[in-house]
Amino acid sequence: MTKTAWVFPGQGSQAIGMGADLYSLAAAQAKFQQAEQILGWSVPEICQNLDDKVSRTLYTQPCLYVIESILADLMRDRGEQPDLVAGHSLGEYVALYVAGVFDFESGLRLVKRRAELMDAASEGVMAALLGFDREQLEQQIAQTPDVVLANDNNAGQVVISGSIEAVDAILANVKAKRAVKLNVSGAFHSPLMAGAAAEFQEVLDQVEFRAARVPVLSNVDPTPATDAEVLKDRLNRQMTGSVRWREISLQMPEAGIERVVEVGPGKVLTGIIKRTCPTLALVNVSTLSELPTPAPVA
């Protein structure tokens, strides 16, 4: 059997109309209704809103969690199972759900609070850099207070996060093929999120974590783990810690993974992974039509 990892994208992969082909499925309808009771608003309505409400953090994170969870459930209904899971930022919550660490409702309640706190963040900015000198970037970050490497996606694509002045200083001093500030409310995955992280911990402490059924590679510590307390501690550090996706990608071949399935809208993660691990077979499941054929009944 080919060892397979499932990966789940985070904020930035959302799109107007995502999940539209799921609305008519009875199993999906049940999840959407459950989500509406928890959230107080409709995931399908937000995703179909032409004013791009789905790109506001408050809505983006719960919408991605719900749609990715439904797709993962449909995968499992068809006889598919991962040998390893990982998620990019928000996607880590879906990975933990799929690994059986908490149930759908508990995960969505965590994501709802996380989205509220991050949407309310107003301090700092984030910027993406593509095609840069890594050594120069790391030197500049080390010399500049109040800025960190927030997302280390692959060798040529990163996101920095910090105060406006610090991020501007990095952009002025590091040559890059492309550098762009992100349309987010605050400096996510940086120490500037410490206040929000402290509030979030109060909610996280109330959720019981179970041992994972399959190993999870966490954003802040990209080594396989199944222990409930370890996974909870890692998630607790995620809001202020860096997303170490390049290292997560490198861990997959080390763990014997040969195939990676990105479950969720878009092809962000497979595009990132391809550069780091070109030998891995990459598959995308973002719509019903991309789901695998159901396994034959014996």
Side-chain angles (χ1 to χ4, degrees):
M1 293 286 289
T2 301
K3 285 195 74 173
T4 301
W6 290 6
V7 298
F8 302 93
Q11 209 161 338
S13 60
Q14 75 277 358
I16 295 172
M18 68 179 185
D21 57 346
L22 303 174
Y23 302 157
S24 60
L25 292 180
Q29 285 176 353
K31 279 283 197 301
F32 286 129
Q33 288 169 5
Q34 187 181 4
E36 187 166 355
Q37 291 175 348
I38 294 167
L39 298 169
W41 46 266
S42 164
V43 169
E45 284 182 15
I46 292 295
C47 290
Q48 298 304 307
N49 185 285
L50 297 180
D51 292 330
D52 199 22
K53 274 192 176 181
V54 75
S55 287
R56 181 181 166 188
T57 296
L58 182 69
Y59 299 119
T60 309
Q61 297 186 12
C63 287
L64 287 173
Y65 175 85
V66 171
I67 288 171
E68 291 174 21
S69 296
I70 290 170
L71 286 170
D73 287 344
L74 292 170
M75 293 270 287
R76 292 189 289 194
D77 289 345
R78 296 179 179 221
E80 300 287 319
Q81 289 291 342
D83 298 291
L84 183 77
V85 292
H88 193 286
S89 193
L90 177 278
E92 186 169 325
Y93 289 78
V94 190
L96 292 168
Y97 162 67
V98 169
V101 175
F102 45 62
D103 60 24
F104 174 79
E105 179 179 338
S106 297
L108 183 55
R109 290 189 185 281
L110 286 175
V111 168
K112 176 178 183 286
R113 188 63 184 134
R114 181 184 193 265
E116 289 168 350
L117 289 166
M118 293 177 76
D119 187 67
S122 58
E123 189 178 1
V125 294
M126 302 180 78
L129 286 82
L130 290 86
F132 54 89
D133 183 315
R134 181 170 285 264
E135 186 177 348
Q136 183 192 32
L137 175 64
E138 290 174 351
Q139 285 178 350
Q140 288 295 324
I141 289 175
Q143 295 167 10
T144 308
D146 300 326
V147 65
V148 295
L149 185 63
N151 294 5
D152 184 7
N153 289 328
N154 62 28
Q157 182 184 342
V158 299
V159 175
I160 59 172
S161 182
S163 69
I164 295 172
E165 297 78 13
V167 169
D168 284 345
I170 296 294
L171 297 182
N173 292 315
V174 175
K175 291 181 180 178
K177 287 184 180 177
R178 186 166 181 240
V180 57
K181 287 186 178 177
L182 302 184
N183 183 23
V184 294
S185 55
F188 302 164
H189 297 291
S190 84
L192 292 179
M193 295 298 294
E199 285 192 61
F200 180 70
Q201 186 176 347
E202 295 176 13
V203 181
L204 186 62
D205 285 344
Q206 297 170 20
V207 177
E208 181 185 353
F209 276 42
R210 297 183 289 269
R213 292 192 291 257
V214 296
V216 181
L217 300 177
S218 301
N219 285 209
V220 300
D221 189 341
T223 54
T226 57
D227 182 82
E229 289 306 311
V230 169
L231 293 170
K232 192 171 197 175
D233 174 65
R234 290 178 176 184
L235 195 64
N236 187 37
R237 292 185 280 135
Q238 196 218 62
M239 200 179 287
T240 57
S242 297
V243 177
R244 296 162 61 182
W245 195 260
R246 179 176 58 87
E247 294 169 80
I248 285 176
S249 301
L250 291 169
Q251 271 287 333
M252 290 181 188
E254 290 287 321
I257 296 298
E258 303 164 82
R259 179 172 172 265
V260 177
V261 181
E262 180 176 2
V263 183
K267 298 182 178 180
V268 173
L269 296 184
T270 47
I272 292 172
I273 293 168
K274 185 175 183 179
R275 174 160 183 168
T276 306
C277 300
T279 60
L280 290 174
L282 303 172
V283 179
N284 290 89
V285 175
S286 57
T287 61
L288 274 179
S289 63
E290 292 174 335
L291 284 166
T293 304
V297 178

